[in-house]
Amino acid sequence: MFDISAIDLARMQFAFTVSFHIIFPAFSIGLASYLAVLEGLWLWKKDVTYLNAFNFWKTIFAVGFGMGVVSGIVMAYQFGTNWAVFSDKAGPVIGPLMGYEVLSAFFLEAGFLGVMLFGQKKVGPKLHYFATLMVAVGTLFSAFWILSVNSWMQTPAGYVMNDAGQFVPDDWIEVIFNPSFPYRFVHMVLAAYLTTAFVVGAVAAYHLLKNNTDKAARVMFSMAMWMAALVTPIQMVAGDQQGLNTLKHQPAKIAAIEGHYEDYRGAPLVLFGIPDDEKEELLYPIEIPKLGSLLLTHSWEGELRGLKSFPKEDRPNSFIVFWTFRVMVAMGMVMLIVGIWSLVRRVQGRLYDDRWLARAAIVAGPTGFIAVLCGWVTTEVGRQPWTVYGALRTAESVSPINAAEVATSLLAFIVVYFVLFGMGVFYMLRLMSKTPDGDTDHETSSLKRASGLTGAPSTLDHSGH
């Protein structure tokens, strides 16, 4: 009945659920820090515009955070159903790291989320700000542990194998701070910040096109464009450093990304082409001579290994990683163009008046999500055919399952995810369409109450001054 193997269906199911899941944490990590900045500015400058923006994004964060938690829990169950062998063999390393994530990150987020969402009338402003900070720190802790787990699967270190064939931690410092972790953590956190910045920028641009005097929309747009202009170049440097690290530890992945089948000295930078793993050649290449070696080895004559230097059974799918990588880079270029454009308009004093810039910001709104998804696919497909790189193959990690069962659960996931999370995303879009510069008299007056552990300032009036 099914032509697709159980392992391919299991891989499809995990790819589908993790792709759905990752967009929510990527948004939540950046938005939590953004909320902390907005509330900090409100407390510092006493400008109610920041409070308006904070309250505008607070509810959107709650919806996105909730969908991220639900989609993550569902995804985790697959370790026990489809990937039980992997769970058994890598559990002594993976399990504690995931446990640390729950203890240090999820408890922090969940513990203070209620205060952040519903505590403005219950506690003083400083305690409320502390809760917002803890939620932001919790999202970063979560990213730390999840990236540590995933990086260990990419570049395993600090373990020994026991008699039962399990990975057992030998040095937790080496496990956690494995060779690719610092690069991947920085790259992912910056990606999350840029993802959020471009969503905020798009929403602010939408409201500016309707009313470019809206103060909250102006603040949101200005902050988002600063992030686009300043952080996008930093992200490109971080991506370059991760590429160098990948070349050192996963050269087959780099060969697939670059579309190189032959070994090269002075390798060209391939802009476009069609990798053909069957013929073992890149069809219709468009190249820039020598530039590939210069970027990856910092030498015009640097040597790069091609896919043919690796056994066929150890190579990733070149077509997928070649194109997902280029889409990710293209999204980065769009971000850079919008950032530079906004910088020019800011210098000219026309940041809020350029309607074409606002339209471009709206179009660029999803670029962060697309880049995160494509980067994740490049990383994970490029790791294949290994779950633990060089030590445990994907084919050896799957549970003894049959294709019909996995196909049924995959279909159920697709239906439930699109209905449930589709409704959630629709609700978030509805919230984003509402005017951000709303009436905050009620919220402001609530902050004046001397309640909770920290008393509210008694000198604030409704305008925040």
Side-chain angles (χ1 to χ4, degrees):
M1 180 177 178
F2 295 97
D3 295 328
I4 307 175
S5 67
I7 185 173
D8 285 338
L9 285 166
R11 293 172 65 185
M12 291 168 60
Q13 187 176 113
F14 198 81
F16 173 77
T17 51
V18 78
S19 297
F20 237 102
H21 171 67
I22 194 173
I23 61 175
F24 295 113
F27 185 47
S28 298
I29 292 168
L31 196 52
S33 294
Y34 182 57
L35 287 171
V37 172
L38 285 174
E39 190 170 14
L41 288 170
W42 146 244
L43 291 174
W44 176 34
K45 296 188 174 183
K46 307 297 186 290
D47 185 341
V48 75
T49 304
Y50 295 107
L51 182 62
N52 286 335
F54 173 84
N55 286 321
F56 178 81
W57 287 105
K58 182 180 67 176
T59 309
I60 296 169
F61 170 81
V63 178
F65 180 81
M67 289 196 289
V69 171
V70 172
S71 60
I73 292 173
V74 171
M75 190 183 70
Y77 279 115
Q78 291 172 72
F79 287 117
T81 55
N82 296 350
W83 303 101
V85 178
F86 165 78
S87 299
D88 174 58
K89 291 183 178 298
V93 172
I94 301 295
L97 294 179
M98 299 293 283
Y100 300 151
E101 193 253 342
V102 173
L103 288 173
S104 64
F106 187 67
F107 281 4
L108 202 60
E109 294 166 330
F112 286 96
L113 183 64
V115 179
M116 188 186 87
L117 293 177
F118 309 111
Q120 280 183 325
K121 303 174 186 176
K122 310 293 182 184
V123 301
K126 291 182 180 177
L127 179 57
H128 188 268
Y129 180 54
F130 180 74
T132 304
L133 272 180
M134 289 303 99
V135 172
V137 171
T139 61
L140 292 173
F141 270 142
S142 182
F144 178 93
W145 291 115
I146 295 300
L147 264 296
S148 180
V149 170
N150 191 265
S151 298
W152 182 83
M153 293 167 65
Q154 302 279 346
T155 52
Y159 72 92
V160 294
M161 302 297 292
N162 67 12
D163 294 339
Q166 293 176 302
F167 299 87
V168 179
D170 181 54
D171 185 329
W172 274 113
I173 297 298
E174 289 187 16
V175 168
I176 295 169
F177 298 97
N178 57 79
S180 65
F181 168 72
Y183 304 94
R184 292 160 46 75
F185 177 64
V186 171
H187 198 44
M188 184 64 206
V189 170
L190 291 178
Y193 284 164
L194 283 173
T195 297
T196 301
F198 274 85
V199 173
V200 171
V203 172
Y206 169 78
H207 290 289
L208 285 176
L209 285 175
K210 293 196 299 183
N211 174 17
N212 77 345
T213 63
D214 188 308
K215 290 183 179 179
R218 282 185 168 223
V219 164
M220 287 154 45
F221 192 67
S222 176
M223 294 173 75
M225 291 301 102
W226 273 126
M227 285 290 290
L230 299 180
V231 177
T232 303
I234 297 174
Q235 175 70 317
M236 291 180 169
V237 174
D240 174 68
Q241 293 302 305
Q242 183 174 336
L244 296 177
N245 179 267
T246 305
L247 176 64
K248 180 178 179 181
H249 296 283
Q250 297 176 308
K253 181 191 290 187
I254 288 293
I257 288 173
E258 297 299 316
H260 292 322
Y261 288 89
E262 307 290 344
D263 292 348
Y264 275 104
R265 275 194 179 279
L269 176 67
V270 180
L271 300 178
F272 299 104
I274 302 176
D276 190 326
D277 287 339
E278 291 296 324
K279 295 180 179 178
E280 296 187 321
E281 64 177 304
L282 182 71
L283 306 176
Y284 316 113
I286 300 176
E287 305 171 334
I288 301 176
K290 306 282 188 181
L291 193 56
S293 282
L294 181 65
L295 292 176
L296 286 166
T297 67
H298 295 179
S299 167
W300 290 106
E301 298 299 328
E303 184 174 5
L304 295 179
R305 296 173 66 186
L307 285 169
K308 286 183 179 179
S309 65
F310 303 93
K312 276 192 173 183
E313 62 272 20
D314 291 346
R315 302 176 192 171
N317 184 305
S318 183
F319 184 87
I320 294 176
V321 298
F322 180 90
W323 279 107
T324 52
F325 178 79
R326 276 151 187 77
V327 172
M328 179 187 70
V329 171
M331 294 300 103
M333 295 307 297
V334 171
M335 293 178 180
L336 186 65
I337 291 169
V338 172
I340 293 173
W341 187 353
S342 71
L343 206 56
V344 171
R345 289 296 186 239
R346 191 186 298 272
V347 171
Q348 295 173 338
R350 296 185 54 204
L351 182 64
Y352 310 112
D353 301 327
D354 188 338
R355 297 180 69 82
W356 281 109
L357 173 60
R359 294 185 182 106
I362 293 173
V363 173
T367 51
F369 292 120
I370 298 171
V372 166
L373 279 173
C374 288
W376 196 257
V377 171
T378 302
T379 298
E380 300 310 304
V381 175
R383 188 189 57 202
Q384 298 302 317
W386 311 94
T387 47
V388 180
Y389 193 76
L392 180 64
R393 289 182 180 274
T394 306
E396 299 168 343
S397 304
V398 70
S399 307
I401 49 180
N402 67 59
E405 291 171 346
V406 185
T408 302
S409 59
L410 174 59
L411 287 173
F413 273 123
I414 292 173
V415 172
V416 172
Y417 268 51
F418 273 102
V419 172
L420 185 63
F421 295 113
M423 292 170 63
V425 171
F426 177 75
Y427 180 59
M428 290 173 72
L429 293 174
R430 285 284 303 274
L431 291 174
M432 291 176 184
S433 69
K434 294 183 177 179
T435 303
D437 209 356
D439 178 12
T440 58
D441 284 355
H442 179 73
E443 296 288 359
T444 306
S445 62
S446 72
L447 288 177
K448 295 164 70 174
R449 297 172 54 201
S451 57
L453 298 180
T454 307
S458 59
T459 56
L460 301 180
D461 60 27
H462 286 187
S463 66
H465 296 284

